[in-house]
Amino acid sequence: MARTNNVTELIISGLFQDPEVQRACFAVFLPVYLATVVGNGLIVLMVRVSKSLRSPMYFFLSHLSLVEISYSSTVVSKFITDLLVKIKTISLEGCVAQIFFFHFFGVAEIFLLTVMAYDRYVAICKPLHCTTIMSQSLCHHLVAASWLGGFVHSMGQIIITLQLSFCSPNVIDHYFCDLHPLFKLACTDTSVEGVIVLANSGLISVFSFLLLVSSYVVILVNLRNHSAEGRRKALSTCASHITVVVLFFGPAIFLYMRPPSTFTEDKLVAVFYTVVTPMLNPIIYTLRNAEVKVALKRLCIKLNPSTEKRV
Protein backbone atom coordinates (compact mmCIF):
# COMPACT_ATOMS: atom_id res chain seq x y z
CA MET A 1 0.00 0.00 0.00
CA ALA A 2 1.08 3.62 -0.27
CA ARG A 3 3.77 4.83 2.15
CA THR A 4 1.58 6.62 4.69
CA ASN A 5 2.42 8.54 7.86
CA ASN A 6 -0.77 8.87 9.83
CA VAL A 7 -3.56 8.64 7.25
CA THR A 8 -5.51 5.40 6.96
CA GLU A 9 -8.97 6.90 6.45
CA LEU A 10 -10.11 9.82 4.34
CA ILE A 11 -13.05 12.19 4.74
CA ILE A 12 -14.92 13.14 1.56
CA SER A 13 -16.25 16.70 1.62
CA GLY A 14 -19.04 15.86 -0.81
CA LEU A 15 -20.90 17.90 -3.39
CA PHE A 16 -22.90 20.13 -1.04
CA GLN A 17 -22.78 20.68 2.72
CA ASP A 18 -26.43 21.55 3.37
CA PRO A 19 -28.27 18.41 4.66
CA GLU A 20 -31.51 19.47 2.95
CA VAL A 21 -29.75 19.88 -0.40
CA GLN A 22 -28.08 16.48 0.07
CA ARG A 23 -31.42 14.79 0.67
CA ALA A 24 -32.80 16.49 -2.44
CA CYS A 25 -29.78 15.24 -4.42
CA PHE A 26 -30.44 11.72 -3.12
CA ALA A 27 -34.02 11.89 -4.38
CA VAL A 28 -32.75 12.99 -7.81
CA PHE A 29 -29.64 10.86 -8.28
CA LEU A 30 -30.99 7.52 -7.02
CA PRO A 31 -33.57 7.24 -9.86
CA VAL A 32 -30.92 8.43 -12.34
CA TYR A 33 -28.53 5.69 -11.20
CA LEU A 34 -31.25 3.02 -11.30
CA ALA A 35 -32.20 4.18 -14.81
CA THR A 36 -28.54 3.89 -15.82
CA VAL A 37 -28.27 0.30 -14.60
CA VAL A 38 -31.65 -0.79 -16.02
CA GLY A 39 -31.27 1.02 -19.35
CA ASN A 40 -27.77 -0.18 -20.09
CA GLY A 41 -28.60 -3.63 -18.73
CA LEU A 42 -31.48 -3.90 -21.19
CA ILE A 43 -29.15 -3.08 -24.07
CA VAL A 44 -26.71 -5.81 -22.97
CA LEU A 45 -29.58 -8.30 -22.66
CA MET A 46 -31.16 -7.31 -25.99
CA VAL A 47 -27.92 -7.74 -27.92
CA ARG A 48 -27.37 -11.11 -26.30
CA VAL A 49 -30.82 -12.57 -27.03
CA SER A 50 -31.92 -10.76 -30.19
CA LYS A 51 -30.99 -12.35 -33.52
CA SER A 52 -31.54 -9.03 -35.33
CA LEU A 53 -28.78 -7.28 -33.36
CA ARG A 54 -25.83 -9.36 -34.48
CA SER A 55 -23.82 -6.71 -36.34
CA PRO A 56 -20.48 -5.43 -34.96
CA MET A 57 -22.12 -2.10 -34.08
CA TYR A 58 -24.43 -3.74 -31.54
CA PHE A 59 -21.67 -6.01 -30.25
CA PHE A 60 -19.61 -2.91 -29.41
CA LEU A 61 -22.68 -1.15 -28.05
CA SER A 62 -23.34 -3.99 -25.59
CA HIS A 63 -19.79 -3.70 -24.25
CA LEU A 64 -20.14 0.08 -24.04
CA SER A 65 -23.31 -0.38 -21.97
CA LEU A 66 -21.50 -2.86 -19.72
CA VAL A 67 -18.73 -0.31 -19.22
CA GLU A 68 -21.31 2.39 -18.45
CA ILE A 69 -22.87 0.29 -15.69
CA SER A 70 -19.48 -0.45 -14.15
CA TYR A 71 -18.16 3.08 -14.60
CA SER A 72 -21.20 4.68 -13.00
CA SER A 73 -21.34 2.12 -10.17
CA THR A 74 -17.71 2.80 -9.24
CA VAL A 75 -18.59 6.37 -8.24
CA VAL A 76 -22.34 6.81 -7.99
CA SER A 77 -23.21 3.92 -5.66
CA LYS A 78 -21.05 5.33 -2.84
CA PHE A 79 -21.89 8.93 -3.74
CA ILE A 80 -25.61 8.22 -3.26
CA THR A 81 -25.15 6.48 0.09
CA ASP A 82 -22.86 9.30 1.28
CA LEU A 83 -25.69 11.78 0.69
CA LEU A 84 -27.51 10.22 3.65
CA VAL A 85 -24.65 10.40 6.17
CA LYS A 86 -23.16 13.40 7.94
CA ILE A 87 -19.51 12.33 7.85
CA LYS A 88 -18.45 10.68 4.60
CA THR A 89 -15.42 8.43 5.01
CA ILE A 90 -13.45 5.99 2.89
CA SER A 91 -10.34 3.98 3.68
CA LEU A 92 -7.14 4.86 1.86
CA GLU A 93 -7.19 1.42 0.24
CA GLY A 94 -10.80 1.96 -0.83
CA CYS A 95 -9.90 5.36 -2.25
CA VAL A 96 -7.08 3.91 -4.35
CA ALA A 97 -9.38 1.10 -5.53
CA GLN A 98 -12.01 3.63 -6.58
CA ILE A 99 -9.39 5.60 -8.54
CA PHE A 100 -8.23 2.40 -10.26
CA PHE A 101 -11.68 1.29 -11.41
CA PHE A 102 -12.81 4.83 -12.28
CA HIS A 103 -9.89 5.26 -14.70
CA PHE A 104 -10.03 1.64 -15.87
CA PHE A 105 -13.64 1.87 -17.03
CA GLY A 106 -13.29 5.47 -18.19
CA VAL A 107 -10.39 4.77 -20.57
CA ALA A 108 -11.97 1.49 -21.70
CA GLU A 109 -14.97 3.59 -22.74
CA ILE A 110 -12.72 5.98 -24.67
CA PHE A 111 -11.19 3.10 -26.62
CA LEU A 112 -14.60 1.50 -27.23
CA LEU A 113 -15.96 4.76 -28.64
CA THR A 114 -12.92 4.90 -30.94
CA VAL A 115 -13.53 1.31 -32.05
CA MET A 116 -17.18 2.12 -32.74
CA ALA A 117 -16.11 5.06 -34.90
CA TYR A 118 -13.85 2.73 -36.89
CA ASP A 119 -16.76 0.32 -37.34
CA ARG A 120 -18.95 3.15 -38.68
CA TYR A 121 -16.13 4.20 -41.03
CA VAL A 122 -15.85 0.68 -42.46
CA ALA A 123 -19.64 0.24 -42.73
CA ILE A 124 -20.15 3.54 -44.56
CA CYS A 125 -16.93 4.04 -46.55
CA LYS A 126 -16.18 0.38 -47.39
CA PRO A 127 -19.60 -1.31 -47.43
CA LEU A 128 -18.59 -4.07 -49.87
CA HIS A 129 -15.73 -5.18 -47.61
CA CYS A 130 -17.44 -4.56 -44.26
CA THR A 131 -18.14 -8.22 -43.49
CA THR A 132 -14.60 -9.25 -44.37
CA ILE A 133 -12.88 -6.46 -42.47
CA MET A 134 -15.08 -6.45 -39.36
CA SER A 135 -14.89 -10.18 -38.78
CA GLN A 136 -16.05 -11.70 -35.52
CA SER A 137 -12.45 -12.39 -34.58
CA LEU A 138 -11.40 -8.77 -35.16
CA CYS A 139 -14.37 -7.47 -33.15
CA HIS A 140 -13.43 -9.63 -30.17
CA HIS A 141 -9.80 -8.53 -30.43
CA LEU A 142 -10.78 -4.85 -30.58
CA VAL A 143 -12.97 -5.19 -27.50
CA ALA A 144 -10.24 -7.08 -25.64
CA ALA A 145 -7.74 -4.37 -26.61
CA SER A 146 -10.10 -1.70 -25.25
CA TRP A 147 -10.38 -3.44 -21.88
CA LEU A 148 -6.63 -4.08 -21.80
CA GLY A 149 -5.89 -0.45 -22.67
CA GLY A 150 -8.03 0.71 -19.76
CA PHE A 151 -6.24 -1.70 -17.42
CA VAL A 152 -2.75 -0.60 -18.49
CA HIS A 153 -3.67 3.08 -18.19
CA SER A 154 -5.19 2.59 -14.74
CA MET A 155 -2.20 0.59 -13.48
CA GLY A 156 0.03 3.50 -14.48
CA GLN A 157 -2.10 5.90 -12.44
CA ILE A 158 -2.07 3.63 -9.40
CA ILE A 159 1.70 3.06 -9.52
CA ILE A 160 2.16 6.83 -9.31
CA THR A 161 -0.26 7.07 -6.38
CA LEU A 162 1.33 4.24 -4.42
CA GLN A 163 4.68 6.06 -4.35
CA LEU A 164 3.23 8.94 -2.33
CA SER A 165 3.07 9.40 1.42
CA PHE A 166 0.05 11.14 2.92
CA CYS A 167 -0.30 13.46 5.88
CA SER A 168 -3.06 15.28 7.71
CA PRO A 169 -5.42 16.91 6.91
CA ASN A 170 -7.21 13.95 5.43
CA VAL A 171 -10.17 15.69 3.74
CA ILE A 172 -10.70 15.17 -0.01
CA ASP A 173 -12.40 18.19 -1.55
CA HIS A 174 -14.57 16.18 -3.90
CA TYR A 175 -17.48 13.73 -3.81
CA PHE A 176 -15.33 10.76 -4.89
CA CYS A 177 -11.65 9.83 -4.98
CA ASP A 178 -9.67 11.10 -7.93
CA LEU A 179 -5.99 11.74 -8.48
CA HIS A 180 -5.76 15.53 -8.20
CA PRO A 181 -7.76 15.80 -4.95
CA LEU A 182 -5.72 12.94 -3.48
CA PHE A 183 -2.42 14.54 -4.54
CA LYS A 184 -3.28 17.58 -2.44
CA LEU A 185 -3.05 15.41 0.68
CA ALA A 186 0.49 14.21 -0.09
CA CYS A 187 3.36 15.18 2.21
CA THR A 188 5.60 16.05 -0.73
CA ASP A 189 5.39 18.17 -3.86
CA THR A 190 3.33 16.40 -6.53
CA SER A 191 3.85 18.75 -9.48
CA VAL A 192 5.72 16.07 -11.44
CA GLU A 193 3.01 13.51 -10.73
CA GLY A 194 0.42 16.07 -11.83
CA VAL A 195 2.17 16.50 -15.18
CA ILE A 196 2.31 12.72 -15.64
CA VAL A 197 -1.41 12.42 -14.91
CA LEU A 198 -2.07 15.26 -17.36
CA ALA A 199 -0.12 13.43 -20.04
CA ASN A 200 -1.72 10.09 -19.19
CA SER A 201 -5.36 11.12 -18.82
CA GLY A 202 -5.68 14.44 -20.61
CA LEU A 203 -3.74 13.60 -23.73
CA ILE A 204 -5.50 10.26 -24.16
CA SER A 205 -8.81 12.14 -24.10
CA VAL A 206 -7.66 14.86 -26.51
CA PHE A 207 -5.97 12.56 -29.05
CA SER A 208 -8.88 10.11 -29.01
CA PHE A 209 -11.35 12.96 -29.44
CA LEU A 210 -9.38 14.39 -32.39
CA LEU A 211 -9.19 10.91 -33.94
CA LEU A 212 -12.94 10.49 -33.55
CA VAL A 213 -13.65 13.91 -35.05
CA SER A 214 -11.34 13.17 -38.00
CA SER A 215 -13.02 9.82 -38.65
CA TYR A 216 -16.45 11.43 -38.76
CA VAL A 217 -15.24 14.16 -41.08
CA VAL A 218 -14.09 11.42 -43.46
CA ILE A 219 -17.44 9.64 -43.07
CA LEU A 220 -19.43 12.81 -43.79
CA VAL A 221 -17.34 13.50 -46.90
CA ASN A 222 -17.94 9.96 -48.17
CA LEU A 223 -21.68 10.25 -47.59
CA ARG A 224 -21.91 12.58 -50.58
CA ASN A 225 -21.62 9.52 -52.81
CA HIS A 226 -24.56 7.72 -51.16
CA SER A 227 -28.23 7.86 -52.00
CA ALA A 228 -30.57 10.06 -49.98
CA GLU A 229 -31.90 7.04 -48.07
CA GLY A 230 -28.38 5.77 -47.43
CA ARG A 231 -27.31 9.16 -46.12
CA ARG A 232 -30.32 9.31 -43.83
CA LYS A 233 -29.62 5.90 -42.26
CA ALA A 234 -25.89 6.60 -41.90
CA LEU A 235 -26.45 10.02 -40.37
CA SER A 236 -28.96 8.55 -37.93
CA THR A 237 -26.44 6.12 -36.43
CA CYS A 238 -23.54 8.56 -36.64
CA ALA A 239 -25.53 11.33 -34.94
CA SER A 240 -26.13 9.09 -31.92
CA HIS A 241 -22.47 8.20 -31.68
CA ILE A 242 -21.29 11.80 -32.10
CA THR A 243 -23.68 12.94 -29.36
CA VAL A 244 -22.29 10.36 -26.92
CA VAL A 245 -18.71 11.32 -27.83
CA VAL A 246 -19.34 15.03 -27.18
CA LEU A 247 -21.15 14.36 -23.90
CA PHE A 248 -18.32 12.14 -22.65
CA PHE A 249 -15.22 13.91 -23.95
CA GLY A 250 -16.34 17.50 -23.36
CA PRO A 251 -16.38 17.37 -19.53
CA ALA A 252 -13.37 15.01 -19.38
CA ILE A 253 -11.17 17.33 -21.45
CA PHE A 254 -12.42 20.35 -19.45
CA LEU A 255 -11.32 18.78 -16.16
CA TYR A 256 -8.10 16.98 -17.12
CA MET A 257 -6.54 19.40 -19.60
CA ARG A 258 -6.17 22.34 -17.22
CA PRO A 259 -4.82 22.98 -13.71
CA PRO A 260 -7.03 21.39 -11.05
CA SER A 261 -9.22 23.60 -8.88
CA THR A 262 -11.71 23.21 -6.06
CA PHE A 263 -14.56 25.18 -7.61
CA THR A 264 -18.04 23.77 -7.13
CA GLU A 265 -18.46 24.10 -10.90
CA ASP A 266 -15.78 21.44 -11.39
CA LYS A 267 -17.70 19.04 -9.16
CA LEU A 268 -20.90 19.74 -11.09
CA VAL A 269 -19.10 19.01 -14.37
CA ALA A 270 -17.88 15.74 -12.85
CA VAL A 271 -21.47 14.92 -11.84
CA PHE A 272 -22.48 15.31 -15.47
CA TYR A 273 -20.06 12.70 -16.84
CA THR A 274 -20.22 10.28 -13.90
CA VAL A 275 -23.97 10.38 -13.20
CA VAL A 276 -25.91 11.89 -16.10
CA THR A 277 -24.05 10.79 -19.25
CA PRO A 278 -24.13 7.02 -18.51
CA MET A 279 -27.92 7.29 -18.17
CA LEU A 280 -28.29 9.22 -21.43
CA ASN A 281 -26.34 6.78 -23.59
CA PRO A 282 -29.03 4.04 -23.85
CA ILE A 283 -31.64 6.74 -24.54
CA ILE A 284 -29.51 8.33 -27.26
CA TYR A 285 -28.76 5.03 -29.00
CA THR A 286 -32.34 3.74 -28.91
CA LEU A 287 -34.30 6.95 -29.53
CA ARG A 288 -33.75 6.96 -33.31
CA ASN A 289 -32.86 3.30 -33.85
CA ALA A 290 -35.74 1.28 -35.25
CA GLU A 291 -33.93 -2.07 -34.91
CA VAL A 292 -33.32 -1.53 -31.18
CA LYS A 293 -36.93 -0.43 -30.65
CA VAL A 294 -38.21 -3.61 -32.30
CA ALA A 295 -35.76 -5.77 -30.32
CA LEU A 296 -36.81 -4.06 -27.08
CA LYS A 297 -40.48 -4.69 -27.87
CA ARG A 298 -39.77 -8.38 -28.53
CA LEU A 299 -37.73 -8.63 -25.33
CA CYS A 300 -40.58 -7.14 -23.29
CA ILE A 301 -42.99 -9.66 -24.83
CA LYS A 302 -40.59 -12.52 -24.09
CA LEU A 303 -40.13 -11.42 -20.47
CA ASN A 304 -43.86 -10.72 -19.98
CA PRO A 305 -46.10 -12.42 -22.58
CA SER A 306 -49.16 -10.57 -21.26
CA THR A 307 -47.76 -7.35 -22.75
CA GLU A 308 -48.15 -8.72 -26.29
CA LYS A 309 -51.83 -7.80 -26.35
CA ARG A 310 -51.04 -4.22 -25.34
CA VAL A 311 -48.14 -3.74 -27.83
Side-chain angles (χ1 to χ4, degrees):
M1 194 52 226
R3 298 195 305 271
T4 62
N5 290 336
N6 59 345
V7 174
T8 58
E9 188 176 64
L10 303 171
I11 298 175
I12 300 173
S13 66
L15 190 60
F16 301 107
Q17 303 303 316
D18 190 327
E20 292 295 329
V21 176
Q22 291 191 71
R23 283 192 285 270
C25 288
F26 177 84
V28 172
F29 292 139
L30 178 60
V32 170
Y33 174 62
L34 294 177
T36 299
V37 174
V38 173
N40 285 287
L42 278 174
I43 289 180
V44 175
L45 184 60
M46 277 191 300
V47 174
R48 181 172 292 272
V49 303
S50 177
K51 295 181 180 180
S52 62
L53 303 180
R54 297 299 186 191
S55 68
M57 179 179 71
Y58 297 113
F59 174 72
F60 296 136
L61 178 59
S62 68
H63 279 271
L64 180 66
S65 295
L66 183 61
V67 167
E68 293 287 24
I69 295 172
S70 306
Y71 175 76
S72 180
S73 298
T74 298
V75 173
V76 182
S77 56
K78 177 163 176 53
F79 169 50
I80 291 174
T81 56
D82 282 346
L83 290 171
L84 299 178
V85 299
K86 185 175 182 180
I87 301 177
K88 308 163 181 57
T89 61
I90 187 172
S91 67
L92 185 59
E93 291 86 354
C95 183
V96 172
Q98 189 177 58
I99 291 173
F100 173 83
F101 287 109
F102 175 70
H103 284 268
F104 171 42
F105 294 121
V107 172
E109 178 166 353
I110 289 175
F111 290 145
L112 277 172
L113 288 172
T114 306
V115 167
M116 291 174 74
Y118 175 68
D119 171 63
R120 290 299 84 207
Y121 164 77
V122 173
I124 295 171
C125 300
K126 300 179 182 295
L128 298 179
H129 305 284
C130 181
T131 305
T132 304
I133 296 175
M134 299 303 296
S135 64
Q136 188 176 33
S137 175
L138 178 62
C139 291
H140 282 90
H141 280 91
L142 289 174
V143 167
S146 299
W147 288 100
L148 180 61
F151 177 80
V152 171
H153 160 82
S154 197
M155 282 301 299
Q157 306 288 64
I158 295 305
I159 289 172
I160 294 172
T161 305
L162 295 181
Q163 306 306 310
L164 301 174
S165 57
F166 298 96
C167 310
S168 294
N170 63 335
V171 179
I172 290 184
D173 189 17
H174 215 309
Y175 65 90
F176 68 97
C177 286
D178 203 0
L179 290 162
H180 286 306
L182 187 62
F183 284 171
K184 293 179 181 179
L185 308 184
C187 301
T188 57
D189 177 60
T190 58
S191 56
V192 175
E193 286 81 0
V195 172
I196 295 174
V197 169
L198 175 67
N200 199 358
S201 296
L203 294 182
I204 285 179
S205 299
V206 170
F207 287 149
S208 298
F209 181 71
L210 292 176
L211 180 62
L212 286 164
V213 170
S214 301
S215 68
Y216 280 106
V217 169
V218 174
I219 289 173
L220 292 175
V221 170
N222 276 269
L223 282 177
R224 294 181 303 177
N225 302 322
H226 288 63
S227 64
E229 180 65 17
R231 284 196 298 269
R232 186 191 65 78
K233 290 183 178 179
L235 286 173
S236 178
T237 56
C238 288
S240 300
H241 193 196
I242 292 172
T243 303
V244 170
V245 166
V246 171
L247 289 174
F248 181 82
F249 281 92
I253 292 173
F254 173 79
L255 290 179
Y256 286 101
M257 285 303 294
R258 63 184 185 84
S261 66
T262 58
F263 296 140
T264 303
E265 290 81 1
D266 284 12
K267 297 180 184 180
L268 294 176
V269 171
V271 167
F272 187 78
Y273 75 81
T274 58
V275 182
V276 179
T277 301
M279 179 199 68
L280 293 177
N281 285 356
I283 299 174
I284 292 169
Y285 277 111
T286 58
L287 195 60
R288 302 174 61 186
N289 193 310
E291 287 181 316
V292 174
K293 289 180 181 178
V294 171
L296 178 59
K297 190 180 296 184
R298 289 174 178 170
L299 178 62
C300 291
I301 293 173
K302 185 177 294 186
L303 294 177
N304 186 8
S306 63
T307 60
E308 186 172 5
K309 296 180 180 180
R310 298 194 298 267
V311 173

